[in-house]
Amino acid sequence: MEGKTPDVSSTTPKPLTPAQKQLLKRQQDLEYFKRHSKQLRSRNLITGLTIGAFVVGIFSYTILSVRQERMMDEIDNEAKVYVMKGPRTGANS
């Protein structure tokens, strides 16, 4: 029996359980994020600033257009008053 080779089943690795697979995947993800955290942080910062600038731009445009609309209403009211109180000549009295 001394000349026998070792059992093949003892040298092959056992299949991983689902819990072990999940743990391995989480460890790989953690290592990835540790290696790439600075790059991810800068990308997130750029994305956040871009979205913020877009929102501020839309807000500013909205406020400006509403303000202009109010000014146009005031000008229209002034024009109506001017037409009603305009100079009286022989042609329009």
Side-chain angles (χ1 to χ4, degrees):
M1 289 209 172
E2 291 178 29
K4 284 189 171 184
T5 58
D7 191 12
V8 176
S9 64
S10 66
T11 59
T12 58
K14 296 179 183 178
L16 297 175
T17 64
Q20 290 172 330
K21 288 179 184 179
Q22 184 179 15
L23 177 64
L24 183 61
K25 175 71 173 144
R26 286 187 182 209
Q27 288 174 342
Q28 289 170 347
D29 288 344
L30 181 63
E31 283 300 316
Y32 174 80
F33 287 121
K34 281 183 181 178
R35 282 186 272 128
H36 297 95
S37 64
K38 188 171 184 170
Q39 183 181 13
L40 289 172
R41 191 173 296 122
S42 64
R43 283 185 188 171
N44 288 345
L45 180 65
I46 290 170
T47 302
L49 289 175
T50 303
I51 291 171
F54 182 73
V55 168
V56 168
I58 289 176
F59 179 76
S60 300
Y61 175 76
T62 303
I63 295 299
L64 180 64
S65 65
V66 167
R67 187 175 299 152
Q68 285 178 348
E69 187 176 314
R70 286 184 190 160
M71 290 174 63
M72 292 303 293
D73 288 343
E74 290 174 9
I75 291 171
D76 288 343
N77 289 338
E78 289 175 8
K80 287 178 186 176
V81 168
Y82 180 74
V83 167
M84 297 302 270
K85 292 184 177 180
R88 299 286 175 189
T89 61
N92 65 2
S93 52

